[in-house]
């Protein structure tokens, strides 16, 4: 059985847990990271020298980097519906994964750590974070309006996993935000998926 190392409230661990649900692969999970066992413990550094969660073990195969793990699971289960075989469709799907880990998620980080984790290092960056996050959400709004209902169009793909988790944080954190009707519809559409309800839109920002 696949073993997942990482706390279930980490946005990057949640990518993996949601994907495991999508492909129907059973797993066990061990809590590591903020609020649980320290990632500085030698036992964890032996699993991932970078010292971040998630990490998975699939038999004797160990893998880190959440988006890489999601793609591994798609390939393992031959889910070309979730991760297209077509060269260009595949690259476009990956665009949304990379975007979530970079520009799309950048403003979210100070907002989440300032308002939810209450890390003093981020408190002064919350307002700028909200502005930047809203600017990126406007990009998603325009994209979904023109090319939705999912990020890749008609059907759900692994591009929706990291994007959907950022969208969950947007709505689950209480701050004054502009209306994005297409994103709100997308948020509800994703909630039709049991994996999103379990690991994404589950009341946790
Ligand atoms: N690029 C990595 C980033 C992983 C990452 O930043 N994980 C965070 C949690 S979301 C972490 O380990 N934080 C430290 C902690 O939980 O103690 C990935 O996508 O897997």
């Amino acid at each position: 059985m696949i073993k997942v190392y990482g706390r279930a409230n980490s946005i990057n661990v949640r990518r993996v847990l949601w994907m495991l649900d999508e492909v129907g692969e059973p797993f066990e999970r061990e809590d590591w990271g903020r609020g649980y066992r320290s990632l500085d413990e030698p036992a964890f550094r032996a699993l991932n020298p970078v010292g971040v969660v998630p990490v998975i073990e699939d038999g004797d195969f160990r893998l880190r980097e959440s988006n890489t793990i999601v793609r591994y699971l798609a390939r393992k289960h031959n889910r070309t519906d979730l991760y297209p075989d077509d060269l260009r469709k595949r690259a476009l799907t990956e665009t949304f994964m990379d975007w979530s880990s970079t520009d799309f998620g950048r403003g979210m980080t100070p907002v989440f750590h300032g308002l939810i984790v209450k890390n003093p290092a981020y408190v002064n960056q919350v307002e700028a974070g909200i502005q930047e996050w809203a600017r990126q959400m406007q990009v998603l709004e325009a994209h979904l309006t023109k090319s939705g209902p999912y990020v890749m169009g008609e059907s759900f793909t692994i591009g929706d996993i990291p994007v959907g988790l950022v969208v969950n944080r947007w709505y689950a954190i209480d701050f004054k935000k502009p209306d994005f009707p297409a994103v709100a519809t997308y948020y509800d559409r994703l909630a039709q998926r049991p994996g999103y309800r379990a690991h994404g839109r589950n009341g946790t920002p």
Side-chain angles (χ1 to χ4, degrees):
M1 187 186 295
I2 284 198
K3 181 149 184 186
V4 180
Y5 295 85
R7 54 190 171 83
N9 58 358
S10 142
I11 197 164
N12 294 309
V13 173
R14 291 161 87 179
R15 291 172 174 176
V16 172
L17 301 179
W18 180 5
M19 184 60 177
L20 284 161
D21 253 55
E22 291 290 341
V23 297
E25 173 132 13
F27 62 91
E28 53 186 24
R29 189 182 59 76
E30 212 170 271
D31 277 324
W32 286 88
R34 183 167 38 76
Y36 299 92
R37 290 180 69 181
S38 167
L39 306 182
D40 291 331
E41 278 189 34
F44 190 82
R45 291 295 167 138
L47 288 171
N48 180 3
V50 182
V52 290
V53 289
V55 179
I56 65 160
E57 274 175 346
D58 188 5
D60 60 1
F61 181 59
R62 184 177 297 155
L63 197 60
R64 64 178 169 88
E65 283 299 330
S66 57
N67 283 333
T68 303
I69 296 168
V70 167
R71 291 189 290 262
Y72 167 78
L73 290 169
R75 296 288 305 277
K76 179 179 174 186
H77 291 267
N78 290 316
R79 293 294 299 270
T80 51
D81 57 323
L82 297 178
Y83 188 32
D85 250 347
D86 175 83
L87 174 68
R88 292 181 178 185
K89 283 190 182 149
R90 175 167 290 201
L92 287 171
T93 305
E94 290 169 349
T95 298
F96 291 98
M97 305 181 87
D98 291 345
W99 181 50
S100 299
S101 294
T102 55
D103 308 295
F104 187 45
R106 186 168 295 127
M108 175 185 74
T109 300
V111 178
F112 178 75
H113 285 276
L115 297 180
I116 304 297
V117 182
K118 301 202 185 303
N119 180 337
Y122 287 97
V123 168
N124 292 337
Q125 300 171 38
V126 169
E127 273 317 309
I130 290 173
Q131 299 306 317
E132 170 58 15
W133 196 1
R135 204 171 67 79
Q136 298 292 330
M137 289 292 284
Q138 178 59 60
V139 174
L140 180 63
E141 173 73 13
H143 175 73
L144 291 173
T145 302
K146 184 162 176 273
S147 312
Y150 296 100
V151 295
M152 284 297 293
E154 280 311 308
S155 60
F156 176 85
T157 63
I158 56 173
D160 292 296
I161 290 182
V163 172
L165 290 168
V166 174
V167 167
N168 174 65
R169 278 207 169 154
W170 173 262
Y171 288 111
I173 302 176
D174 186 22
F175 59 90
K176 193 168 161 17
K177 46 186 80 107
D179 276 346
F180 292 124
V183 178
T185 303
Y186 175 67
Y187 186 43
D188 287 342
R189 181 171 288 107
L190 290 179
Q192 293 165 7
R193 309 188 80 82
Y196 189 58
R197 290 199 302 277
H199 307 292
R201 191 171 174 173
N202 60 2
T204 304

